[in-house]
Amino acid sequence: MARTDDLNVWRIFCEVVQAGGVNAACDVLECEPSTVSRALKAIETEIGAPIFLREGRHLKLTELGARAYDKAIKLLNVHELMIQDLKGDQNALSGTIRLASHSGISSIEITPHLIEFRKTYPDITLELHDLTKQIPEIFHLADTPPIHLAAGYGPNRPIDGLIARYLGEMPFLCCASPLYLERFGAPHHPSKCVNHIGILINSPTRVATQELIRDGIAYPLRWKSSMSFKNLMAVRTAAVLG
């Protein structure tokens, strides 16, 4: 039997994608890195093309790898549902899951995945909350329903008492709308921001950017004038309006 006919090989592949690397996947799968490496190698050998671009310890899906993941995760979900049905659905998931995230990414990045998740687990009630505190404080709020999961950005380091998964980089970029650039032009160096209007975010989970980095050199931000918001979607709306 070809290794690509083995569901466990695809389960390992999907776990590597979700965990963000081989070592993190091994912690979840409770196996040796060599087992994971052999599974990935078998897939690439049998399909005759790479599924990951390897940059040091970081793995990035190729276009073919992304297609494989999209199909494999659906296949594994169907297999899980089949086993649940054959067992009388004794282990079907149900209950309430509360997820907290930044309002700026929850609607774009998270909501579509929640819709797909609920198609597979229709008995689960999903609640998406805005992050009102930093992680891990969001898990210890008094007099509110408990938060079970939180998705946010910050340093990639372990957090005491929590299971964390690294999902990828989220660089912060300075940007402006075409309308603003048409009216005021573009600053071609961080020091030129002193001639422009800054739109800033100050919230319980995010503070205004204090500097910009160009060519490895950090420059403190100075604005001609500024507007400050506590909501990321308000920041986006203000920027789009120029």
Side-chain angles (χ1 to χ4, degrees):
M1 181 179 74
R3 292 295 305 278
T4 48
D5 291 337
D6 185 353
L7 281 178
N8 193 51
V9 169
W10 293 108
R11 190 172 289 108
I12 292 173
F13 164 63
C14 289
E15 190 58 51
V16 170
V17 175
Q18 294 169 357
V22 171
N23 290 333
C26 290
D27 292 339
V28 177
L29 296 169
E30 298 182 350
C31 66
E32 296 297 323
S34 58
T35 301
V36 175
S37 297
R38 283 195 298 270
L40 300 181
K41 182 64 176 178
I43 293 175
E44 293 183 326
T45 299
E46 292 186 19
I47 66 177
I51 53 177
F52 284 108
L53 295 174
R54 291 164 175 83
E55 302 174 352
R57 295 184 178 181
H58 297 287
L59 296 178
K60 182 179 180 181
L61 285 172
T62 63
E63 181 179 352
L64 183 64
R67 287 166 50 197
Y69 175 74
D70 181 63
K71 296 179 183 300
I73 197 68
K74 293 176 181 177
L75 177 65
L76 293 173
N77 286 337
V78 170
H79 178 260
E80 182 178 349
L81 288 174
M82 180 191 74
I83 297 302
Q84 288 179 357
D85 182 67
L86 294 176
K87 290 182 177 180
D89 211 24
Q90 295 177 0
N91 297 318
L93 297 179
S94 61
T96 299
I97 297 178
R98 299 182 187 89
L99 168 64
S101 184
H102 303 279
S103 59
I105 63 174
S106 60
S107 60
I108 298 174
E109 298 292 341
I110 295 179
T111 299
H113 292 288
L114 294 184
I115 299 301
E116 290 300 315
F117 182 87
R118 197 177 186 285
K119 290 179 181 178
T120 304
Y121 303 104
D123 293 330
I124 290 182
T125 298
L126 297 169
E127 296 182 6
L128 181 57
H129 297 250
D130 287 341
L131 271 176
T132 56
K133 296 286 185 180
Q134 294 280 2
I135 300 172
E137 286 82 6
I138 190 67
F139 293 101
H140 305 292
L141 298 180
D143 302 323
T144 60
I147 296 295
H148 305 118
L149 303 167
Y153 38 70
N156 179 23
R157 61 171 180 256
I159 302 175
D160 290 341
L162 297 178
I163 297 175
R165 284 191 175 181
Y166 175 73
L167 301 179
E169 293 185 357
M170 181 177 287
F172 293 159
L173 304 176
C174 187
C175 60
S177 69
L179 176 61
Y180 181 90
L181 297 179
E182 180 181 344
R183 295 171 59 192
F184 303 106
H188 296 289
H189 191 275
S191 63
K192 299 301 182 181
C193 289
V194 71
N195 300 318
H196 290 269
I197 303 169
I199 300 176
L200 313 176
I201 176 71
N202 276 301
S203 72
T205 61
R206 175 84 182 274
V207 296
T209 301
Q210 301 296 319
E211 62 183 22
L212 290 180
I213 298 176
R214 177 170 176 170
D215 299 328
I217 301 175
Y219 297 88
L221 272 178
R222 301 288 185 269
W223 301 102
K224 179 180 179 181
S225 63
S226 64
M227 302 175 65
S228 180
F229 297 89
K230 294 186 178 296
N231 181 281
L232 283 172
M233 300 310 292
V235 169
R236 179 183 182 278
T237 299
V240 169
L241 293 175

